[in-house]
Amino acid sequence: MAGQREMREKNPWHRRPIIIIAVLFTVVIGGLVTMSVMQNKPIHQKYKYGIVLDAGSSHTSVYVYQWPAEKENNTGMVTQKHTCNVKGKGISSYFRNANQAGPSLRECMEEAERAIPTPRHQETPVYLGATAGMRLLRKENETASGNVLLSVMQFLQATPFSFQGARIITGQEEGAYGWITVNYLSDNFRRAQHTMGALDLGGASTQITFESGDHFKSINDFIHFRLYGKEYRVYTHSFLCYGKDQALKLFLDRQLQAHPTGSGKQTLEDPCFHPGYNKSKSVQDIYNSPCVSEVQPSKAEFTHKGTGNWMLCQKNVRRIFNFSECTSSSCSFNGVFQPPLKGQFGAFSAFFFVMDFLNLTSEPLEVSKKKLAAYCSMPWDEVTKNHKKVKEKYLQEYCFSGTYILTLLEDGYNFTSETWKDIKFIKKIANSDAGWTLGYMLNLTNMIPAEAPDSPPIPHAGYVTLMVLFVFVLFFLIVLAYCFFRRSSSASQKQIV
Ligand SMILES: O=c1[nH]cnc2c1ncn2[C@@H]1O[C@H](COP(=O)(O)OP(=O)(O)O)[C@@H](O)[C@H]1O
Ligand SMILES: [Ca+2]
């Protein structure tokens, strides 16, 4: 008996309260660990959706975006779920039969219906923004542009989505939203010291946008943003008629006016088209735009003949710009103020399509010029043989388009051989297309807050881990205290004995 009691006193685990405490602690710790694992398991996300239609001058694209419902204001959360290119030309081409403009969007809107779960349709906002093609049509024929917009509005209103409006956005908005898109997708607003500039080349206009502290001139070209608690002063300018399709019209007009012919069909010897290229073209196709001079050549047709001479091509391309007039401290072209370039630039849309086709997206400026000169001098039949799958409409123009891009960037915007590496020709960032549509939607749905959202001092997972650790330490301390107490009480018992 005495021996048994002695053993029990030596081994404290034999005591009932201790066993109960140990079991309780095990249960509590087990509970806490399970809770922390459960809490951090990815829960089934509820997504929200948004649709933006980019009604460009050459064609319309439909973009479907999605984001987790509870993370609306976290940057980098919106992703591009689906895109669809509307068949045919841009909505401005429906100026003669405006009521056909809306129905032309049908197939792509049906695709959007399939891309978004049906229960979400009603709450999904849909926006249409029209760019330079519609700006030009409004200039030429306001009634026609109004009718085209009315047709697309009526069509979109009848879709199951929540229609939020169809309008012609300004060139400034186009530039600014493109800038917001590239910086949002690169997570520059919250993580980086600097933002990235945006260069957008369309068919009818082109935009340059970048952060610049230089704000004393031309207030019109500066926009202020407060995003995630930071101030941004952004320069943006849109050049109407300097998209690549309108620039080609300006270019052909200059050449046709420079070599008027007397009687007979006019032949235009064009250094920006390949040798052996020979096509009869309608004069009306050039003069159907408010960008070109009102004095038309008298003939209805002309023969467009390529000569493939890059040096001469660049010399002629330069003529569509005015580089001499400038009443400000510094200018891009046509007397437009532009502060000195700063930082890196993302160049997208036609900047990317053309430079990518020509394999010039990562070449230095001088190499690009040499390669382009060699490409322009290639005979047209060889070009068509080498690129059987490329649409002829694009293929015939790549020599001109490449030359136009190099000239616009170097002589127009003032990039140099040294700063050329700061231009990144991009199509997508983080799987979403670079362009103005995402920035437009982020702005209209208030998804970029002016102030940085308050975040807890430690993340949730860290909090749970700390709590578990804390319980372990507490448990260890109690055991330690108990042992200490046991030892000192048995020592004092011995002394009494
Ligand atoms: O694959 C391609 N190769 C060359 N150019 C392209 C390709 N895809 C689109 N483009 C061009 O990109 C431009 C897009 O312009 P958009 O239609 O957005 O006009 P906008 O922005 O001036 O309103 C057009 O000039 C179109 O021809
Ligand atoms: Ca565009």
Side-chain angles (χ1 to χ4, degrees), residues 54-59 131-132 174 200-205 207 349-350 435-436:
D54 173 356
S57 64
S58 67
H59 78 290
T131 50
E174 198 179 355
D200 180 355
L201 179 62
S205 77
Q207 289 72 238
S349 194
W436 59 267

Side-chain angles (χ1 to χ4, degrees), residues 65-116:
Y65 297 106
Q66 72 169 26
W67 60 95
E70 75 277 19
K71 290 185 177 166
E72 209 149 64
N73 290 345
N74 293 16
T75 185
M77 279 299 149
V78 180
T79 52
Q80 188 174 303
K81 180 154 202 284
H82 184 78
T83 54
C84 177
N85 289 327
V86 172
K87 282 199 194 111
K89 293 183 175 179
I91 57 168
S92 54
S93 69
Y94 290 90
F95 66 97
R96 281 205 194 95
N97 46 344
N99 55 356
Q100 304 286 299
S104 75
L105 310 172
R106 178 165 285 121
E107 276 177 44
C108 277
M109 291 313 289
E110 282 171 359
E111 270 192 28
E113 282 179 37
R114 288 191 289 275
I116 299 171

